[in-house]
Amino acid sequence: MARDEWDPRNLPDLSGRSYLVTGATRGLGYFSCEQLAGAGAHVFLTGRNPNRLVTAKAAVKRTHPDASVETLLLDTSNLGSVRAAAATVRARGRLHGLLMNAGIVHPPKTRELAGGHEKVFATNVLGHFALAGELLKPLASARGRMVWVGSMSTSIWTHVPTDPELREGYTPWRAYVQSKAATTALALEADRRLRAHSVPVESLVAHPGYSTSGRTRGIRGVNEPTRLTRFVDNLQAPFTQSKDEGAWALVRALVDPLAEGGSMYGPALVARGVPRSATPARRTRDSALGADLWRACETGTHVRWPFERVRRTAS
Ligand SMILES: NC(=O)c1ccc[n+]([C@@H]2O[C@H](COP(=O)([O-])OP(=O)(O)OC[C@H]3O[C@@H](n4cnc5c(N)ncnc54)[C@H](OP(=O)(O)O)[C@@H]3O)[C@@H](O)[C@H]2O)c1
């Protein structure tokens, strides 16, 4: 198979490997779990709502009766919840992959706070920064990988996250695009720092194109779009795809043995298609922006990634 070819319907055997997915109760996170579990992986299906977790786990089991799936409460907007979930996973030893998918996709109309931080930044960015730092050791023990979920919106709109908490000029769309630009910049900064400290963990970015629930098969309690949503989403069919197809790029970034730290995957036709390598928006590749955001995340979460300690124990 050529380097950039990948059949998302025919994944490598993932038996004996374990993956954690945030925001796994619906959408791309749910379908990523289905695909990983279907390939034999053990999956930590995580979310903020216990009932939705039970429903999502049952749905994965209906599709793959032999799936090895466990649920774990993890609210990315709550650093206490992030720490508790990470402690549970650390106690298990090794983790082969972390998919940081959870996100507020439709932000509140006016600026709200979660744990003292702007809510979209807290949920989409800070919680994941803390989680990845807390899981560095089990990831390094497995020579594993972390995947941050970006968005093609960052290549279209030019919101640079120089004020990540959006103290001035909040709009819902700005909060969303900024959070995704920050996510991508942090993924690339993490790659630089992991390499500099010789920590055997790769950091990658993936984006799902434009994936809608109305173009996705119905699953009780997981994907139940209204008739109107189905109608409207189907009108956009030429430039959209289903959420299970959107999950392909996320899963490829997580499990393709040839994928490398610092790279990005997305749909071949940008908004839809089979997963191919992609290019992060130019301004997200700016290392000064990455370093500024890293500092903002350390200050906002009080988490410092334990690079040196992990390198010593991994070598
Ligand atoms: N769909 C697209 O076209 C698209 C394009 C670009 C990027 N993305 C990115 O892909 C990711 C998933 O998007 P999606 O379309 O699948 O969205 P979605 O259907 O709205 O699903 C979002 C998931 O995130 C979870 N979530 C929200 N806040 C959370 C929190 N505080 N703690 C833990 N989980 C939380 C939700 O949990 P609940 O079930 O509890 O609400 C849900 O499981 C997001 O990061 C989004 O930015 C999506």
Side-chain angles (χ1 to χ4, degrees), residues 26-32 34-35 210-220 222-226 229-231 233-234 237 240-247:
R26 59 194 160 96
L28 298 156
Y30 170 80
F31 288 102
S32 299
E34 252 198 12
Q35 291 168 24
Y210 187 14
S211 310
T212 64
S213 58
R215 298 209 56 217
T216 306
R217 70 189 144 93
I219 301 177
R220 206 177 337 120
V222 173
N223 189 56
E224 299 177 305
T226 61
T229 300
R230 286 240 181 256
F231 178 73
D233 286 359
N234 280 321
T240 62
Q241 61 184 352
S242 66
K243 295 221 180 186
D244 33 359
E245 290 164 330

PDB file of all heavy atoms in Angstrom, residues 26-32 34-35 210-220 222-226 229-231 233-234 237 240-247:
ATOM      1  N   ARG A  26     -21.839  10.716  21.446  1.00  0.00           N
ATOM      2  CA  ARG A  26     -22.506  10.886  20.152  1.00  0.00           C
ATOM      3  C   ARG A  26     -21.498  11.424  19.138  1.00  0.00           C
ATOM      4  O   ARG A  26     -20.326  11.633  19.472  1.00  0.00           O
ATOM      5  CB  ARG A  26     -23.729  11.806  20.264  1.00  0.00           C
ATOM      6  CG  ARG A  26     -23.455  13.194  20.780  1.00  0.00           C
ATOM      7  CD  ARG A  26     -24.784  13.866  21.157  1.00  0.00           C
ATOM      8  NE  ARG A  26     -24.569  14.968  22.055  1.00  0.00           N
ATOM      9  CZ  ARG A  26     -24.467  16.250  21.700  1.00  0.00           C
ATOM     10  NH1 ARG A  26     -24.547  16.556  20.423  1.00  0.00           N
ATOM     11  NH2 ARG A  26     -24.281  17.178  22.582  1.00  0.00           N
ATOM     12  N   GLY A  27     -21.994  11.628  17.931  1.00  0.00           N
ATOM     13  CA  GLY A  27     -21.167  12.268  16.907  1.00  0.00           C
ATOM     14  C   GLY A  27     -19.884  11.507  16.593  1.00  0.00           C
ATOM     15  O   GLY A  27     -19.810  10.275  16.664  1.00  0.00           O
ATOM     16  N   LEU A  28     -18.870  12.276  16.241  1.00  0.00           N
ATOM     17  CA  LEU A  28     -17.607  11.691  15.776  1.00  0.00           C
ATOM     18  C   LEU A  28     -16.951  10.817  16.837  1.00  0.00           C
ATOM     19  O   LEU A  28     -16.332   9.807  16.520  1.00  0.00           O
ATOM     20  CB  LEU A  28     -16.660  12.823  15.380  1.00  0.00           C
ATOM     21  CG  LEU A  28     -17.194  13.685  14.223  1.00  0.00           C
ATOM     22  CD1 LEU A  28     -16.572  15.065  14.248  1.00  0.00           C
ATOM     23  CD2 LEU A  28     -16.934  12.993  12.905  1.00  0.00           C
ATOM     24  N   GLY A  29     -17.085  11.221  18.091  1.00  0.00           N
ATOM     25  CA  GLY A  29     -16.479  10.449  19.174  1.00  0.00           C
ATOM     26  C   GLY A  29     -17.098   9.067  19.255  1.00  0.00           C
ATOM     27  O   GLY A  29     -16.388   8.051  19.365  1.00  0.00           O
ATOM     28  N   TYR A  30     -18.425   9.002  19.167  1.00  0.00           N
ATOM     29  CA  TYR A  30     -19.101   7.710  19.221  1.00  0.00           C
ATOM     30  C   TYR A  30     -18.613   6.812  18.068  1.00  0.00           C
ATOM     31  O   TYR A  30     -18.248   5.649  18.274  1.00  0.00           O
ATOM     32  CB  TYR A  30     -20.634   7.867  19.165  1.00  0.00           C
ATOM     33  CG  TYR A  30     -21.275   6.532  18.971  1.00  0.00           C
ATOM     34  CD1 TYR A  30     -21.443   5.665  20.046  1.00  0.00           C
ATOM     35  CD2 TYR A  30     -21.604   6.079  17.692  1.00  0.00           C
ATOM     36  CE1 TYR A  30     -21.949   4.387  19.855  1.00  0.00           C
ATOM     37  CE2 TYR A  30     -22.102   4.813  17.486  1.00  0.00           C
ATOM     38  CZ  TYR A  30     -22.277   3.973  18.572  1.00  0.00           C
ATOM     39  OH  TYR A  30     -22.762   2.706  18.383  1.00  0.00           O
ATOM     40  N   PHE A  31     -18.613   7.372  16.839  1.00  0.00           N
ATOM     41  CA  PHE A  31     -18.268   6.532  15.690  1.00  0.00           C
ATOM     42  C   PHE A  31     -16.788   6.133  15.711  1.00  0.00           C
ATOM     43  O   PHE A  31     -16.433   5.048  15.238  1.00  0.00           O
ATOM     44  CB  PHE A  31     -18.674   7.218  14.379  1.00  0.00           C
ATOM     45  CG  PHE A  31     -20.170   7.214  14.213  1.00  0.00           C
ATOM     46  CD1 PHE A  31     -20.923   8.352  14.480  1.00  0.00           C
ATOM     47  CD2 PHE A  31     -20.840   6.054  13.866  1.00  0.00           C
ATOM     48  CE1 PHE A  31     -22.305   8.342  14.378  1.00  0.00           C
ATOM     49  CE2 PHE A  31     -22.225   6.028  13.761  1.00  0.00           C
ATOM     50  CZ  PHE A  31     -22.963   7.176  14.019  1.00  0.00           C
ATOM     51  N   SER A  32     -15.949   6.988  16.269  1.00  0.00           N
ATOM     52  CA  SER A  32     -14.542   6.589  16.420  1.00  0.00           C
ATOM     53  C   SER A  32     -14.449   5.369  17.334  1.00  0.00           C
ATOM     54  O   SER A  32     -13.708   4.419  17.056  1.00  0.00           O
ATOM     55  CB  SER A  32     -13.721   7.742  17.016  1.00  0.00           C
ATOM     56  OG  SER A  32     -13.761   8.861  16.174  1.00  0.00           O
ATOM     57  N   GLU A  34     -16.765   3.114  17.857  1.00  0.00           N
ATOM     58  CA  GLU A  34     -17.278   1.937  17.124  1.00  0.00           C
ATOM     59  C   GLU A  34     -16.182   1.354  16.243  1.00  0.00           C
ATOM     60  O   GLU A  34     -15.979   0.139  16.192  1.00  0.00           O
ATOM     61  CB  GLU A  34     -18.429   2.383  16.220  1.00  0.00           C
ATOM     62  CG  GLU A  34     -19.777   1.945  16.677  1.00  0.00           C
ATOM     63  CD  GLU A  34     -20.800   2.019  15.532  1.00  0.00           C
ATOM     64  OE1 GLU A  34     -20.446   2.196  14.351  1.00  0.00           O
ATOM     65  OE2 GLU A  34     -21.988   1.908  15.872  1.00  0.00           O
ATOM     66  N   GLN A  35     -15.486   2.229  15.523  1.00  0.00           N
ATOM     67  CA  GLN A  35     -14.471   1.747  14.574  1.00  0.00           C
ATOM     68  C   GLN A  35     -13.292   1.107  15.304  1.00  0.00           C
ATOM     69  O   GLN A  35     -12.785   0.062  14.897  1.00  0.00           O
ATOM     70  CB  GLN A  35     -14.012   2.907  13.678  1.00  0.00           C
ATOM     71  CG  GLN A  35     -15.117   3.347  12.721  1.00  0.00           C
ATOM     72  CD  GLN A  35     -14.859   4.669  12.011  1.00  0.00           C
ATOM     73  OE1 GLN A  35     -13.714   5.076  11.851  1.00  0.00           O
ATOM     74  NE2 GLN A  35     -15.924   5.337  11.575  1.00  0.00           N
ATOM     75  N   TYR A 210     -16.639  18.198   6.962  1.00  0.00           N
ATOM     76  CA  TYR A 210     -17.954  18.703   7.375  1.00  0.00           C
ATOM     77  C   TYR A 210     -18.872  17.490   7.503  1.00  0.00           C
ATOM     78  O   TYR A 210     -19.324  16.938   6.490  1.00  0.00           O
ATOM     79  CB  TYR A 210     -18.462  19.708   6.341  1.00  0.00           C
ATOM     80  CG  TYR A 210     -19.736  20.440   6.723  1.00  0.00           C
ATOM     81  CD1 TYR A 210     -20.225  20.434   8.022  1.00  0.00           C
ATOM     82  CD2 TYR A 210     -20.438  21.161   5.763  1.00  0.00           C
ATOM     83  CE1 TYR A 210     -21.377  21.114   8.363  1.00  0.00           C
ATOM     84  CE2 TYR A 210     -21.606  21.854   6.096  1.00  0.00           C
ATOM     85  CZ  TYR A 210     -22.071  21.819   7.395  1.00  0.00           C
ATOM     86  OH  TYR A 210     -23.217  22.492   7.726  1.00  0.00           O
ATOM     87  N   SER A 211     -19.104  17.062   8.727  1.00  0.00           N
ATOM     88  CA  SER A 211     -19.824  15.804   8.991  1.00  0.00           C
ATOM     89  C   SER A 211     -21.106  16.113   9.761  1.00  0.00           C
ATOM     90  O   SER A 211     -21.043  16.710  10.837  1.00  0.00           O
ATOM     91  CB  SER A 211     -18.949  14.873   9.835  1.00  0.00           C
ATOM     92  OG  SER A 211     -17.664  14.753   9.273  1.00  0.00           O
ATOM     93  N   THR A 212     -22.244  15.708   9.228  1.00  0.00           N
ATOM     94  CA  THR A 212     -23.514  16.121   9.838  1.00  0.00           C
ATOM     95  C   THR A 212     -24.319  14.916  10.328  1.00  0.00           C
ATOM     96  O   THR A 212     -24.257  13.823   9.753  1.00  0.00           O
ATOM     97  CB  THR A 212     -24.370  16.916   8.832  1.00  0.00           C
ATOM     98  OG1 THR A 212     -24.716  16.067   7.736  1.00  0.00           O
ATOM     99  CG2 THR A 212     -23.617  18.134   8.305  1.00  0.00           C
ATOM    100  N   SER A 213     -25.100  15.155  11.361  1.00  0.00           N
ATOM    101  CA  SER A 213     -25.903  14.062  11.940  1.00  0.00           C
ATOM    102  C   SER A 213     -27.028  13.656  11.000  1.00  0.00           C
ATOM    103  O   SER A 213     -27.428  12.499  10.955  1.00  0.00           O
ATOM    104  CB  SER A 213     -26.449  14.459  13.306  1.00  0.00           C
ATOM    105  OG  SER A 213     -27.219  15.623  13.187  1.00  0.00           O
ATOM    106  N   GLY A 214     -27.533  14.615  10.195  1.00  0.00           N
ATOM    107  CA  GLY A 214     -28.628  14.297   9.273  1.00  0.00           C
ATOM    108  C   GLY A 214     -28.209  13.389   8.139  1.00  0.00           C
ATOM    109  O   GLY A 214     -29.050  12.831   7.438  1.00  0.00           O
ATOM    110  N   ARG A 215     -26.903  13.231   7.949  1.00  0.00           N
ATOM    111  CA  ARG A 215     -26.422  12.318   6.903  1.00  0.00           C
ATOM    112  C   ARG A 215     -25.871  11.035   7.529  1.00  0.00           C
ATOM    113  O   ARG A 215     -25.151  10.263   6.880  1.00  0.00           O
ATOM    114  CB  ARG A 215     -25.350  13.002   6.054  1.00  0.00           C
ATOM    115  CG  ARG A 215     -25.895  14.231   5.339  1.00  0.00           C
ATOM    116  CD  ARG A 215     -25.181  14.487   4.052  1.00  0.00           C
ATOM    117  NE  ARG A 215     -25.229  13.332   3.181  1.00  0.00           N
ATOM    118  CZ  ARG A 215     -24.218  12.949   2.391  1.00  0.00           C
ATOM    119  NH1 ARG A 215     -23.103  13.620   2.387  1.00  0.00           N
ATOM    120  NH2 ARG A 215     -24.339  11.885   1.629  1.00  0.00           N
ATOM    121  N   THR A 216     -26.187  10.831   8.798  1.00  0.00           N
ATOM    122  CA  THR A 216     -25.610   9.707   9.556  1.00  0.00           C
ATOM    123  C   THR A 216     -26.733   8.746   9.934  1.00  0.00           C
ATOM    124  O   THR A 216     -27.830   9.182  10.291  1.00  0.00           O
ATOM    125  CB  THR A 216     -24.931  10.253  10.831  1.00  0.00           C
ATOM    126  OG1 THR A 216     -24.008  11.274  10.456  1.00  0.00           O
ATOM    127  CG2 THR A 216     -24.208   9.173  11.594  1.00  0.00           C
ATOM    128  N   ARG A 217     -26.432   7.454   9.906  1.00  0.00           N
ATOM    129  CA  ARG A 217     -27.473   6.477  10.247  1.00  0.00           C
ATOM    130  C   ARG A 217     -28.015   6.715  11.652  1.00  0.00           C
ATOM    131  O   ARG A 217     -27.279   7.146  12.554  1.00  0.00           O
ATOM    132  CB  ARG A 217     -26.946   5.047  10.078  1.00  0.00           C
ATOM    133  CG  ARG A 217     -25.916   4.622  11.094  1.00  0.00           C
ATOM    134  CD  ARG A 217     -25.307   3.269  10.686  1.00  0.00           C
ATOM    135  NE  ARG A 217     -23.906   3.215  11.028  1.00  0.00           N
ATOM    136  CZ  ARG A 217     -23.434   2.722  12.171  1.00  0.00           C
ATOM    137  NH1 ARG A 217     -24.248   2.225  13.075  1.00  0.00           N
ATOM    138  NH2 ARG A 217     -22.151   2.729  12.422  1.00  0.00           N
ATOM    139  N   GLY A 218     -29.295   6.433  11.821  1.00  0.00           N
ATOM    140  CA  GLY A 218     -29.923   6.629  13.123  1.00  0.00           C
ATOM    141  C   GLY A 218     -29.492   5.561  14.118  1.00  0.00           C
ATOM    142  O   GLY A 218     -29.388   4.386  13.765  1.00  0.00           O
ATOM    143  N   ILE A 219     -29.212   5.972  15.335  1.00  0.00           N
ATOM    144  CA  ILE A 219     -28.867   5.040  16.415  1.00  0.00           C
ATOM    145  C   ILE A 219     -29.602   5.533  17.653  1.00  0.00           C
ATOM    146  O   ILE A 219     -29.405   6.685  18.067  1.00  0.00           O
ATOM    147  CB  ILE A 219     -27.351   5.001  16.701  1.00  0.00           C
ATOM    148  CG1 ILE A 219     -26.578   4.598  15.454  1.00  0.00           C
ATOM    149  CG2 ILE A 219     -27.045   4.064  17.863  1.00  0.00           C
ATOM    150  CD1 ILE A 219     -25.068   4.615  15.631  1.00  0.00           C
ATOM    151  N   ARG A 220     -30.409   4.669  18.240  1.00  0.00           N
ATOM    152  CA  ARG A 220     -31.224   5.074  19.385  1.00  0.00           C
ATOM    153  C   ARG A 220     -30.379   5.706  20.490  1.00  0.00           C
ATOM    154  O   ARG A 220     -29.404   5.127  20.945  1.00  0.00           O
ATOM    155  CB  ARG A 220     -31.959   3.840  19.936  1.00  0.00           C
ATOM    156  CG  ARG A 220     -33.239   4.171  20.655  1.00  0.00           C
ATOM    157  CD  ARG A 220     -33.982   2.914  21.130  1.00  0.00           C
ATOM    158  NE  ARG A 220     -33.679   1.689  20.416  1.00  0.00           N
ATOM    159  CZ  ARG A 220     -33.162   0.597  20.983  1.00  0.00           C
ATOM    160  NH1 ARG A 220     -32.880   0.584  22.261  1.00  0.00           N
ATOM    161  NH2 ARG A 220     -32.935  -0.491  20.277  1.00  0.00           N
ATOM    162  N   VAL A 222     -28.255   7.937  20.418  1.00  0.00           N
ATOM    163  CA  VAL A 222     -26.924   8.420  20.014  1.00  0.00           C
ATOM    164  C   VAL A 222     -27.038   9.377  18.831  1.00  0.00           C
ATOM    165  O   VAL A 222     -26.459  10.457  18.828  1.00  0.00           O
ATOM    166  CB  VAL A 222     -25.987   7.234  19.649  1.00  0.00           C
ATOM    167  CG1 VAL A 222     -24.673   7.735  19.067  1.00  0.00           C
ATOM    168  CG2 VAL A 222     -25.735   6.360  20.869  1.00  0.00           C
ATOM    169  N   ASN A 223     -27.792   8.972  17.830  1.00  0.00           N
ATOM    170  CA  ASN A 223     -27.976   9.856  16.664  1.00  0.00           C
ATOM    171  C   ASN A 223     -29.431   9.782  16.227  1.00  0.00           C
ATOM    172  O   ASN A 223     -29.830   8.831  15.546  1.00  0.00           O
ATOM    173  CB  ASN A 223     -27.042   9.456  15.515  1.00  0.00           C
ATOM    174  CG  ASN A 223     -27.064  10.499  14.403  1.00  0.00           C
ATOM    175  OD1 ASN A 223     -26.808  11.684  14.660  1.00  0.00           O
ATOM    176  ND2 ASN A 223     -27.400  10.106  13.195  1.00  0.00           N
ATOM    177  N   GLU A 224     -30.207  10.803  16.628  1.00  0.00           N
ATOM    178  CA  GLU A 224     -31.637  10.821  16.332  1.00  0.00           C
ATOM    179  C   GLU A 224     -32.034  12.189  15.757  1.00  0.00           C
ATOM    180  O   GLU A 224     -32.766  12.946  16.389  1.00  0.00           O
ATOM    181  CB  GLU A 224     -32.439  10.524  17.605  1.00  0.00           C
ATOM    182  CG  GLU A 224     -32.138   9.159  18.181  1.00  0.00           C
ATOM    183  CD  GLU A 224     -32.865   8.876  19.488  1.00  0.00           C
ATOM    184  OE1 GLU A 224     -32.723   9.676  20.434  1.00  0.00           O
ATOM    185  OE2 GLU A 224     -33.573   7.871  19.559  1.00  0.00           O
ATOM    186  N   PRO A 225     -31.532  12.508  14.561  1.00  0.00           N
ATOM    187  CA  PRO A 225     -31.873  13.817  13.975  1.00  0.00           C
ATOM    188  C   PRO A 225     -33.360  13.888  13.620  1.00  0.00           C
ATOM    189  O   PRO A 225     -33.972  12.869  13.297  1.00  0.00           O
ATOM    190  CB  PRO A 225     -31.003  13.869  12.712  1.00  0.00           C
ATOM    191  CG  PRO A 225     -30.690  12.457  12.389  1.00  0.00           C
ATOM    192  CD  PRO A 225     -30.677  11.699  13.676  1.00  0.00           C
ATOM    193  N   THR A 226     -33.914  15.092  13.678  1.00  0.00           N
ATOM    194  CA  THR A 226     -35.317  15.278  13.283  1.00  0.00           C
ATOM    195  C   THR A 226     -35.421  15.143  11.759  1.00  0.00           C
ATOM    196  O   THR A 226     -34.422  15.203  11.043  1.00  0.00           O
ATOM    197  CB  THR A 226     -35.793  16.690  13.675  1.00  0.00           C
ATOM    198  OG1 THR A 226     -34.970  17.634  12.965  1.00  0.00           O
ATOM    199  CG2 THR A 226     -35.666  16.937  15.173  1.00  0.00           C
ATOM    200  N   THR A 229     -33.922  18.153  10.172  1.00  0.00           N
ATOM    201  CA  THR A 229     -32.448  18.097  10.117  1.00  0.00           C
ATOM    202  C   THR A 229     -32.000  17.194   8.969  1.00  0.00           C
ATOM    203  O   THR A 229     -31.086  17.529   8.209  1.00  0.00           O
ATOM    204  CB  THR A 229     -31.873  17.588  11.451  1.00  0.00           C
ATOM    205  OG1 THR A 229     -32.285  18.491  12.470  1.00  0.00           O
ATOM    206  CG2 THR A 229     -30.364  17.520  11.436  1.00  0.00           C
ATOM    207  N   ARG A 230     -32.648  16.048   8.842  1.00  0.00           N
ATOM    208  CA  ARG A 230     -32.293  15.125   7.740  1.00  0.00           C
ATOM    209  C   ARG A 230     -32.477  15.824   6.399  1.00  0.00           C
ATOM    210  O   ARG A 230     -31.618  15.746   5.523  1.00  0.00           O
ATOM    211  CB  ARG A 230     -33.186  13.880   7.774  1.00  0.00           C
ATOM    212  CG  ARG A 230     -32.844  12.919   8.879  1.00  0.00           C
ATOM    213  CD  ARG A 230     -32.447  11.545   8.279  1.00  0.00           C
ATOM    214  NE  ARG A 230     -32.128  10.608   9.332  1.00  0.00           N
ATOM    215  CZ  ARG A 230     -30.890  10.245   9.654  1.00  0.00           C
ATOM    216  NH1 ARG A 230     -29.851  10.734   9.023  1.00  0.00           N
ATOM    217  NH2 ARG A 230     -30.673   9.377  10.621  1.00  0.00           N
ATOM    218  N   PHE A 231     -33.614  16.532   6.254  1.00  0.00           N
ATOM    219  CA  PHE A 231     -33.910  17.206   4.986  1.00  0.00           C
ATOM    220  C   PHE A 231     -32.843  18.249   4.670  1.00  0.00           C
ATOM    221  O   PHE A 231     -32.251  18.251   3.592  1.00  0.00           O
ATOM    222  CB  PHE A 231     -35.308  17.850   5.080  1.00  0.00           C
ATOM    223  CG  PHE A 231     -35.689  18.617   3.848  1.00  0.00           C
ATOM    224  CD1 PHE A 231     -36.038  17.948   2.670  1.00  0.00           C
ATOM    225  CD2 PHE A 231     -35.698  20.003   3.851  1.00  0.00           C
ATOM    226  CE1 PHE A 231     -36.364  18.661   1.515  1.00  0.00           C
ATOM    227  CE2 PHE A 231     -36.029  20.714   2.707  1.00  0.00           C
ATOM    228  CZ  PHE A 231     -36.361  20.045   1.535  1.00  0.00           C
ATOM    229  N   ASP A 233     -29.825  18.647   5.995  1.00  0.00           N
ATOM    230  CA  ASP A 233     -28.477  18.079   5.835  1.00  0.00           C
ATOM    231  C   ASP A 233     -28.329  17.371   4.487  1.00  0.00           C
ATOM    232  O   ASP A 233     -27.258  17.406   3.871  1.00  0.00           O
ATOM    233  CB  ASP A 233     -28.148  17.115   6.984  1.00  0.00           C
ATOM    234  CG  ASP A 233     -27.852  17.870   8.287  1.00  0.00           C
ATOM    235  OD1 ASP A 233     -27.889  19.109   8.273  1.00  0.00           O
ATOM    236  OD2 ASP A 233     -27.590  17.210   9.313  1.00  0.00           O
ATOM    237  N   ASN A 234     -29.401  16.760   4.010  1.00  0.00           N
ATOM    238  CA  ASN A 234     -29.307  16.078   2.715  1.00  0.00           C
ATOM    239  C   ASN A 234     -29.188  17.069   1.562  1.00  0.00           C
ATOM    240  O   ASN A 234     -28.595  16.753   0.523  1.00  0.00           O
ATOM    241  CB  ASN A 234     -30.481  15.119   2.513  1.00  0.00           C
ATOM    242  CG  ASN A 234     -30.228  13.815   3.269  1.00  0.00           C
ATOM    243  OD1 ASN A 234     -29.094  13.316   3.305  1.00  0.00           O
ATOM    244  ND2 ASN A 234     -31.247  13.276   3.906  1.00  0.00           N
ATOM    245  N   ALA A 237     -25.656  17.558   0.735  1.00  0.00           N
ATOM    246  CA  ALA A 237     -24.927  16.305   0.489  1.00  0.00           C
ATOM    247  C   ALA A 237     -23.653  16.444  -0.347  1.00  0.00           C
ATOM    248  O   ALA A 237     -22.654  15.788  -0.046  1.00  0.00           O
ATOM    249  CB  ALA A 237     -25.872  15.277  -0.131  1.00  0.00           C
ATOM    250  N   THR A 240     -20.819  17.439   2.143  1.00  0.00           N
ATOM    251  CA  THR A 240     -20.803  16.941   3.528  1.00  0.00           C
ATOM    252  C   THR A 240     -20.682  15.415   3.520  1.00  0.00           C
ATOM    253  O   THR A 240     -20.753  14.788   2.470  1.00  0.00           O
ATOM    254  CB  THR A 240     -22.097  17.311   4.288  1.00  0.00           C
ATOM    255  OG1 THR A 240     -23.211  16.692   3.629  1.00  0.00           O
ATOM    256  CG2 THR A 240     -22.294  18.807   4.356  1.00  0.00           C
ATOM    257  N   GLN A 241     -20.519  14.867   4.698  1.00  0.00           N
ATOM    258  CA  GLN A 241     -20.491  13.417   4.841  1.00  0.00           C
ATOM    259  C   GLN A 241     -21.109  13.035   6.183  1.00  0.00           C
ATOM    260  O   GLN A 241     -21.473  13.903   6.987  1.00  0.00           O
ATOM    261  CB  GLN A 241     -19.067  12.900   4.734  1.00  0.00           C
ATOM    262  CG  GLN A 241     -18.133  13.438   5.806  1.00  0.00           C
ATOM    263  CD  GLN A 241     -16.696  12.983   5.607  1.00  0.00           C
ATOM    264  OE1 GLN A 241     -16.394  12.151   4.765  1.00  0.00           O
ATOM    265  NE2 GLN A 241     -15.784  13.520   6.408  1.00  0.00           N
ATOM    266  N   SER A 242     -21.236  11.740   6.424  1.00  0.00           N
ATOM    267  CA  SER A 242     -21.810  11.277   7.689  1.00  0.00           C
ATOM    268  C   SER A 242     -20.760  11.392   8.797  1.00  0.00           C
ATOM    269  O   SER A 242     -19.564  11.543   8.531  1.00  0.00           O
ATOM    270  CB  SER A 242     -22.258   9.822   7.558  1.00  0.00           C
ATOM    271  OG  SER A 242     -21.123   9.010   7.375  1.00  0.00           O
ATOM    272  N   LYS A 243     -21.222  11.265  10.038  1.00  0.00           N
ATOM    273  CA  LYS A 243     -20.252  11.344  11.139  1.00  0.00           C
ATOM    274  C   LYS A 243     -19.403  10.071  11.227  1.00  0.00           C
ATOM    275  O   LYS A 243     -18.266  10.122  11.710  1.00  0.00           O
ATOM    276  CB  LYS A 243     -20.982  11.619  12.450  1.00  0.00           C
ATOM    277  CG  LYS A 243     -21.649  13.001  12.431  1.00  0.00           C
ATOM    278  CD  LYS A 243     -21.541  13.756  13.711  1.00  0.00           C
ATOM    279  CE  LYS A 243     -22.245  15.100  13.550  1.00  0.00           C
ATOM    280  NZ  LYS A 243     -22.094  15.987  14.681  1.00  0.00           N
ATOM    281  N   ASP A 244     -19.931   8.938  10.755  1.00  0.00           N
ATOM    282  CA  ASP A 244     -19.036   7.767  10.772  1.00  0.00           C
ATOM    283  C   ASP A 244     -17.917   7.943   9.744  1.00  0.00           C
ATOM    284  O   ASP A 244     -16.772   7.571   9.990  1.00  0.00           O
ATOM    285  CB  ASP A 244     -19.733   6.399  10.671  1.00  0.00           C
ATOM    286  CG  ASP A 244     -20.974   6.370   9.837  1.00  0.00           C
ATOM    287  OD1 ASP A 244     -21.368   7.421   9.311  1.00  0.00           O
ATOM    288  OD2 ASP A 244     -21.567   5.288   9.718  1.00  0.00           O
ATOM    289  N   GLU A 245     -18.243   8.575   8.597  1.00  0.00           N
ATOM    290  CA  GLU A 245     -17.173   8.867   7.632  1.00  0.00           C
ATOM    291  C   GLU A 245     -16.227   9.944   8.194  1.00  0.00           C
ATOM    292  O   GLU A 245     -15.009   9.881   8.006  1.00  0.00           O
ATOM    293  CB  GLU A 245     -17.778   9.322   6.299  1.00  0.00           C
ATOM    294  CG  GLU A 245     -18.490   8.185   5.571  1.00  0.00           C
ATOM    295  CD  GLU A 245     -19.425   8.664   4.467  1.00  0.00           C
ATOM    296  OE1 GLU A 245     -19.995   9.777   4.566  1.00  0.00           O
ATOM    297  OE2 GLU A 245     -19.617   7.894   3.512  1.00  0.00           O
ATOM    298  N   GLY A 246     -16.784  10.913   8.906  1.00  0.00           N
ATOM    299  CA  GLY A 246     -15.946  11.962   9.506  1.00  0.00           C
ATOM    300  C   GLY A 246     -14.952  11.391  10.506  1.00  0.00           C
ATOM    301  O   GLY A 246     -13.836  11.917  10.673  1.00  0.00           O
ATOM    302  N   ALA A 247     -15.349  10.307  11.164  1.00  0.00           N
ATOM    303  CA  ALA A 247     -14.460   9.690  12.168  1.00  0.00           C
ATOM    304  C   ALA A 247     -13.259   9.005  11.519  1.00  0.00           C
ATOM    305  O   ALA A 247     -12.259   8.727  12.187  1.00  0.00           O
ATOM    306  CB  ALA A 247     -15.250   8.687  13.019  1.00  0.00           C
TER     307      ALA A 247
END
